[in-house]
Amino acid sequence: MYQIDTKRQYNYSSSCIRPFEVQEYFPLRIDLDKVIFKNALVAPPPNKLDAKKKPKIPNSKLQESLESLLEALQKDFAKKQKQLEKELESRGISKALSLAFYLNVFIHQSKHYTPRGVEEKVSLKDLIDYFTQLKFGHCGQKPYALEMLLEKFGIQSRVISYSDIFGWAHGFVEVFIDEKWQILDPTFNVYFNIGVQEIIANPYCKRKVLSFFSNEFWTDKTQEYEEFIQTQIDANHHTTFKYNKEWFMFMGFYPFVPPILYFKHNKNGQATEIYDIRKDARYQFV
């Protein structure tokens, strides 16, 4: 039985928690055709807090713009599909995931991460809401946009949220491909070849990690790192390491090891419990 001290701020790389095993970690870059960002719905996302709002699209043109966007994504993916599948197979990852990966990268690039101090309260009914009602996007919005986009392309997925015992929460997507659930995160632009049920069964299970290129994080591009960090951090509570993808994946939240508190499936504003560590006899809170 594992004991979890509820008064302790855990460091996920601490020796008190047995580390999980990374079977393989590798980067992958998927470059989207620039024509996609010429679509009226997805003009290049703003880099600055004072960025001007995009011109409003007439309601009569919204559905037309969305259909044009979906067609452009399909055409661009078709051009890249063979090379992408070849790269995945060379790493022992199923080529059946290639379209889901491509769409994940698109949603990640469609909006920059929400700066600290900015709050956009938008209830997303569909993809048009995501593109027209939000200036930025975070882990409470991008996973839902990806889920809706995947559905347009016939890929089954679901949004998962989780929290640790101190209330730090995050959301991601699971895609059901090759008869198993696998993790995709459009916020931090990463993939894991495991799903929530495998983590519940063994939080320390082996996993492959694929990190997609993102010019939003300093590990990929250093030029604007300091400026980006200053829009994110609260010096009293955070360190810049929390916005380093590698920290997030290997020492931060993504190990999914205890004291992760729960996993929930989120659909239509309702959260259904998948797992709660307080009900797991393997762990004791002290």
Side-chain angles (χ1 to χ4, degrees):
M1 178 181 290
Y2 295 96
Q3 287 193 336
I4 297 174
D5 185 350
T6 57
K7 298 182 178 64
R8 176 179 180 179
Q9 180 66 60
Y10 278 85
N11 176 345
Y12 288 86
S13 62
S14 171
S15 60
C16 69
I17 298 177
R18 182 159 58 91
F20 66 100
E21 296 182 65
V22 176
Q23 186 177 357
E24 184 177 20
Y25 168 75
F26 66 98
L28 179 66
R29 180 164 183 159
I30 301 176
D31 291 313
L32 305 180
D33 192 324
K34 292 181 180 179
V35 72
I36 291 169
F37 291 94
K38 293 181 180 179
N39 183 284
L41 284 176
V42 284
N47 287 302
K48 311 290 183 182
L49 287 174
D50 58 355
K52 294 181 180 179
K53 196 172 183 180
K54 290 185 297 185
K56 188 172 182 180
I57 307 170
N59 289 339
S60 60
K61 296 289 185 180
L62 288 173
Q63 189 59 38
E64 181 182 327
S65 294
L66 178 59
E67 291 172 1
S68 175
L69 171 62
L70 297 176
E71 183 179 352
L73 290 169
Q74 182 66 66
K75 287 182 178 179
D76 188 41
F77 170 72
K79 294 176 185 177
K80 298 174 169 62
Q81 182 176 1
K82 189 172 292 187
Q83 179 59 34
L84 179 54
E85 290 178 350
K86 182 179 178 180
E87 290 190 46
L88 294 179
E89 288 189 312
S90 72
R91 293 290 185 170
I93 292 181
S94 172
K95 64 182 183 181
L97 286 154
S98 58
L99 178 55
F101 288 173
Y102 175 88
L103 298 175
N104 183 86
V105 170
F106 166 68
I107 290 297
H108 173 77
Q109 293 186 5
S110 66
K111 294 185 186 293
H112 281 304
Y113 192 84
T114 308
R116 183 171 60 88
V118 173
E119 188 174 0
E120 297 181 285
K121 293 184 177 179
V122 176
S123 178
L124 302 179
K125 300 187 299 294
D126 52 35
L127 280 169
I128 290 175
D129 280 350
Y130 171 76
F131 289 118
T132 61
Q133 302 302 312
L134 292 171
K135 182 184 289 186
F136 302 97
H138 54 63
C139 64
Q141 298 155 337
K142 287 190 176 185
Y144 292 98
L146 179 58
E147 180 189 35
M148 290 185 281
L149 184 60
L150 289 166
E151 184 179 7
K152 295 286 186 183
F153 285 84
I155 298 174
Q156 184 181 356
S157 66
R158 60 182 184 177
V159 175
I160 304 293
S161 63
Y162 66 103
S163 171
D164 70 4
I165 61 176
F166 303 103
W168 188 20
H170 186 58
F172 57 87
V173 169
E174 280 189 319
V175 291
F176 192 74
I177 292 176
D178 289 337
E179 301 301 314
K180 62 175 288 189
W181 290 105
Q182 302 174 67
I183 293 171
L184 267 179
D185 185 343
T187 308
F188 282 86
N189 218 17
V190 295
Y191 157 78
F192 294 79
N193 70 335
I194 54 173
V196 166
Q197 291 300 333
E198 290 166 274
I199 295 166
I200 293 170
N202 176 14
Y204 310 99
C205 62
K206 289 184 179 180
R207 64 206 67 181
K208 285 190 177 183
V209 183
L210 192 164
S211 176
F212 300 103
F213 177 85
S214 164
N215 62 8
E216 190 172 32
F217 297 95
W218 80 275
T219 50
D220 299 314
K221 183 178 178 182
T222 60
Q223 185 177 356
E224 297 176 352
Y225 168 61
E226 184 175 349
E227 182 179 345
F228 171 75
I229 289 299
Q230 291 305 317
T231 70
Q232 300 298 324
I233 65 172
D234 177 341
N236 295 320
H237 300 93
H238 297 79
T239 72
T240 58
F241 295 108
K242 290 188 179 181
Y243 300 95
N244 170 334
K245 283 199 297 182
E246 274 62 21
W247 182 93
F248 202 80
M249 286 186 284
F250 299 127
M251 291 187 290
F253 220 5
Y254 263 147
F256 298 115
V257 298
I260 288 296
L261 183 62
Y262 66 71
F263 288 105
K264 294 181 180 179
H265 171 213
N266 297 269
K267 186 72 174 178
N268 299 324
Q270 300 296 318
T272 303
E273 181 182 299
I274 297 175
Y275 173 74
D276 190 320
I277 197 172
R278 293 165 294 189
K279 301 175 184 178
D280 190 332
R282 295 175 297 173
Y283 303 98
Q284 180 184 27
F285 286 83
V286 295

